[in-house]
């Protein structure tokens, strides 16, 4: 399958252009457009310096980088962050420092997240009086054991 064409607008030409670090990677690297220090449990918006034009039928999902989450406590409040195909503004992330004792420094130009592009289906909603039965039924949290 050929790669999906993705239009990217560089809002901050001083940052590296997003791309895949390795062949076969699922996520595009996203860079911090500003330096920030987050106190323990503090959250703040961090820009990435890019905007994208996703084709109809696709969405972008922003995810944390596992090494930064493990080593420094950096994650994002709305993980995965959803980018709809009609959004054309800057990709901005709601960063949070989950380290209870140490401030977290984010440097401009640092890889802080990854963007995964996926095809998404639109549902045709059907208003019904009841749903079909399954073995699980309405069993929710913890219903399948631990």
């Amino acid at each position: 399958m050929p790669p999906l064409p993705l239009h990217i607008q560089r809002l901050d030409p001083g940052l590296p252009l997003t791309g895949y670090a390795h062949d076969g990677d699922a996520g595009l690297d996203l860079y911090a457009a500003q330096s920030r220090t987050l106190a323990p449990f503090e959250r703040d918006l961090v820009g990435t310096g890019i905007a994208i034009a996703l084709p109809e039928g696709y969405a972008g999902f922003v995810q944390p980088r596992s090494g930064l989450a493990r080593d420094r406590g950096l994650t994002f409040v709305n993980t995965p962050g959803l980018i709809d195909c009609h959004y054309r503004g800057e990709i901005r992330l709601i960063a949070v420092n989950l380290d209870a004792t140490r401030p977290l420094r984010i440097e401009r130009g640092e890889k802080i997240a990854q963007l995964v592009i996926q095809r998404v289906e639109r549902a045709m909603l059907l208003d019904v009086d009841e749903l079909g039965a399954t073995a699980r039924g309405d069993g929710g949290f913890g219903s399948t054991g631990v």
Side-chain angles (χ1 to χ4, degrees):
M1 175 181 294
L4 175 74
L6 179 63
H7 295 179
I8 299 174
Q9 182 181 13
R10 293 175 84 160
L11 305 173
D12 185 337
L15 292 174
L17 183 62
T18 187
Y20 297 101
H22 305 284
D23 287 341
D25 282 356
L28 295 157
D29 291 326
L30 295 177
Y31 298 88
Q34 310 84 24
S35 295
R36 290 257 191 301
T37 300
L38 299 174
F41 303 120
E42 182 181 9
R43 64 184 181 272
D44 198 2
L45 280 175
V46 178
T48 63
I50 64 166
I52 61 174
L54 290 165
E56 190 81 31
Y58 288 83
F61 298 91
V62 177
Q63 316 228 0
R65 296 186 71 227
S66 54
L68 290 177
R70 179 197 64 217
D71 297 341
R72 294 168 46 197
L74 176 62
T75 193
F76 304 101
V77 175
N78 61 328
T79 298
L82 171 64
I83 302 168
D84 287 312
C85 66
H86 297 118
Y87 177 67
R88 295 296 185 266
E90 180 181 16
I91 297 173
R92 297 189 308 161
L93 316 173
I94 307 170
V96 63
N97 176 7
L98 294 182
D99 190 301
T101 60
R102 294 180 299 175
L104 170 68
R105 180 76 181 159
I106 298 171
E107 296 295 339
R108 174 180 160 75
E110 178 179 9
K111 291 180 189 179
I112 59 169
Q114 48 196 343
L115 173 64
V116 177
I117 307 299
Q118 291 182 305
R119 185 160 187 66
V120 292
E121 297 293 329
R122 289 210 24 116
M124 178 176 56
L125 305 180
L126 303 173
D127 188 7
V128 298
D129 292 328
E130 61 183 61
L131 302 175
T134 66
R136 183 172 180 172
D138 63 359
F141 300 106
S143 66
T144 60
V146 288

